[in-house]
Amino acid sequence: METQVKKFTTKKRMSVLLLSAALAAVGTAAALPVSVGSVHAAATTATITSRVNVQVKGKAIGTQAFLSPLGNTLIPLKDAAQALGAVVKYDNKNHSVELTLGENTVNYSLDIDSALVKLNGSGLGQRYEAQVIGGTSFVAVQALVEPFGYLAQWNGQTRTVNITNAGMNELTITAGKLQSSNSHKDVTINIVYPVVSQLANQNAEAAINKAVKAQAQKFLDASEKQLAKSGAPAEGATYDFELAYKVTYNQNGVISFLLTNYQYLGGAHGGGSQTGLTYSLQDGTTMKLGDLLKSNSNYSQVIKKSLQEQVQKGTESSIYSIDLFNKLTKDSNAYLDNFYLTNAGFTVFFVPGDIAESVVGSPEFKFTWAQFLSNNADPFAAY
């Protein structure tokens, strides 16, 4: 996985790939089919049994998708993107594809078996499975729908994946950027964060944008403070401070973002963390899990019990520490503030170092609404 737009030293690249792997753990947007093929197999052709029809907003495109041995639905990137109305540009030298749709631009740096996807000039990216077959680039459907804010709907009877924005909140999300006062040639400070516009409630829109920008500013201030403390990098070295975002949920009057930050100040690897931000579009207020699970007064205990079981299993395989988890959660539920919504439910994550060594990154644990809400209760009924 060397075909990245931005070049890194070997040690630094390792940390970025670890961060990308953590990003890739984010929940997907659709209930798509999963194959049972060997994870080591390399598909060079799509078999009849693995072929998948592709629709964009209900209209079929000419090129079929297929199921990969890893269980992902791989769609033809160019054809699907153009059907959405995106402008497609190729960079043969760097083996990359750039898609521009409205005010959003996404870069796909293609490798032999994956694509590193970067949104709106971000220095951080997320890896998705990808393959190039007969000159056509195929990527996991999530690699197209997630950056541009669409959904992937699966119809098992017709073996069709439909890329659509039906049922999503009526708003637009673009990128904002903060500028740093630093001008050192070997220091990169790249702050990219989401901005909401065209929301019916202008007061709510202003409140959300103010809160998100404040989070971005907080990272910028911390970066400049750290830079002032560390001083300029040594000759031949570089420093990096990056902030990126992802929209993880945008339906039912609620929007959820995941902000990911990363800093590299030399050494074996850099460090990163993430922040989940969820807002009601009714009034722009910040939402907590309790707002969505209030019909279950016991939700925090249920989550904690499930987490204890999963962390214990991770402890037995030397990934997590049950002792650290028990200490963190003994007298506080504050850890439940670290969450983001997905189309399947929600994900709780931990700060690096909280329940595992920092090199593990931000451990994530996924939950569905059905685990907590009975009688098909709607967590978004009030929104």
Side-chain angles (χ1 to χ4, degrees):
M1 299 183 181
E2 299 294 322
T3 313
Q4 298 187 30
V5 173
K6 189 173 183 179
K7 301 300 182 181
F8 297 96
T9 64
T10 301
K11 290 182 178 179
K12 187 175 176 186
R13 184 183 292 113
M14 289 175 63
S15 64
V16 173
L17 293 182
L18 284 172
L19 180 59
S20 296
L23 282 169
V26 175
T28 57
L32 296 173
V34 177
S35 70
V36 293
S38 167
V39 296
H40 301 292
T44 56
T45 60
T47 64
I48 293 177
T49 56
S50 72
R51 290 177 185 171
V52 174
N53 300 310
V54 182
Q55 293 182 351
V56 174
K57 298 181 180 179
K59 184 177 180 179
I61 67 173
T63 309
Q64 287 185 311
F66 64 94
L67 293 183
S68 78
L70 294 179
N72 295 311
T73 301
L74 301 190
I75 62 171
L77 179 59
K78 176 183 177 182
D79 291 354
Q82 288 182 331
L84 283 176
V87 175
V88 182
K89 294 182 180 179
Y90 289 92
D91 183 341
N92 291 326
K93 181 180 179 180
N94 292 305
H95 306 289
S96 66
V97 179
E98 181 181 274
L99 303 183
T100 300
L101 182 60
E103 297 183 49
N104 292 304
T105 297
V106 182
N107 182 275
Y108 297 76
S109 185
L110 299 168
D111 206 331
I112 189 172
D113 58 3
S114 68
L116 181 62
V117 181
K118 297 181 179 181
L119 175 62
N120 288 324
S122 171
L124 299 179
Q126 178 171 341
R127 284 202 176 272
Y128 299 85
E129 186 181 4
Q131 295 181 27
V132 179
I133 301 175
T136 299
S137 300
F138 291 85
V139 299
V141 64
Q142 291 85 1
L144 180 62
V145 301
E146 291 181 352
F148 285 113
Y150 284 80
L151 294 174
Q153 299 174 335
W154 173 249
N155 185 324
Q157 292 183 333
T158 61
R159 294 185 61 80
T160 299
V161 60
N162 181 34
I163 299 171
T164 180
N165 56 2
M168 302 189 73
N169 297 316
E170 294 185 5
L171 52 81
T172 298
I173 301 170
T174 54
K177 294 189 177 184
L178 293 181
Q179 299 299 318
S180 170
S181 58
N182 173 75
S183 59
H184 194 284
K185 64 182 180 64
D186 293 322
V187 177
T188 298
I189 300 181
N190 189 19
I191 312 296
V192 182
Y193 63 95
V195 176
V196 173
S197 61
Q198 299 182 10
L199 190 61
N201 186 329
Q202 293 296 297
N203 290 331
E205 178 181 300
I208 293 171
N209 287 334
K210 180 180 179 180
V212 176
K213 186 176 182 179
Q215 286 289 331
Q217 186 66 51
K218 181 179 179 181
F219 177 69
L220 175 58
D221 293 343
S223 299
E224 293 185 325
K225 183 178 180 180
Q226 181 62 55
L227 182 59
K229 179 180 178 181
S230 302
E235 184 68 27
T238 60
Y239 291 166
D240 279 290
F241 301 88
E242 306 275 359
L243 181 71
Y245 73 91
K246 177 177 181 178
V247 182
T248 64
Y249 189 82
N250 184 19
Q251 299 180 72
N252 296 306
V254 174
I255 192 162
S256 191
F257 302 110
L258 181 66
L259 303 187
T260 303
N261 68 67
Y262 170 80
Q263 68 174 18
Y264 176 79
L265 291 165
H269 54 77
S273 62
Q274 55 191 39
T275 302
L277 303 172
T278 301
Y279 302 98
S280 164
L281 301 184
Q282 282 188 347
D283 52 18
T285 56
T286 300
M287 298 177 65
K288 295 183 178 294
L289 274 177
D291 298 323
L292 298 166
L293 294 170
K294 54 190 173 185
S295 64
N296 182 348
S297 60
N298 199 40
Y299 77 90
S300 60
Q301 289 86 348
V302 177
I303 294 177
K304 182 177 180 179
K305 181 179 179 181
S306 176
L307 288 171
Q308 281 179 319
E309 294 173 352
Q310 296 181 68
V311 172
Q312 180 61 53
K313 291 180 181 178
T315 299
E316 294 169 359
S317 58
S318 302
I319 300 175
Y320 309 131
S321 168
I322 190 65
D323 292 335
L324 287 177
F325 174 83
N326 288 336
K327 182 179 179 180
L328 178 71
T329 62
K330 182 179 180 181
D331 299 311
S332 173
N333 289 328
Y335 66 97
L336 292 180
D337 290 340
N338 295 325
F339 78 97
Y340 59 88
L341 303 185
T342 69
N343 292 283
F346 61 92
T347 296
V348 174
F349 61 88
F350 290 86
V351 174
D354 270 0
I355 66 169
E357 293 186 9
S358 296
V359 70
V360 175
S362 298
E364 296 191 336
F365 302 86
K366 304 178 189 304
F367 299 92
T368 65
W369 299 118
Q371 292 175 254
F372 304 92
L373 303 178
S374 59
N375 301 320
N376 297 315
D378 181 4
F380 305 102
Y383 303 96

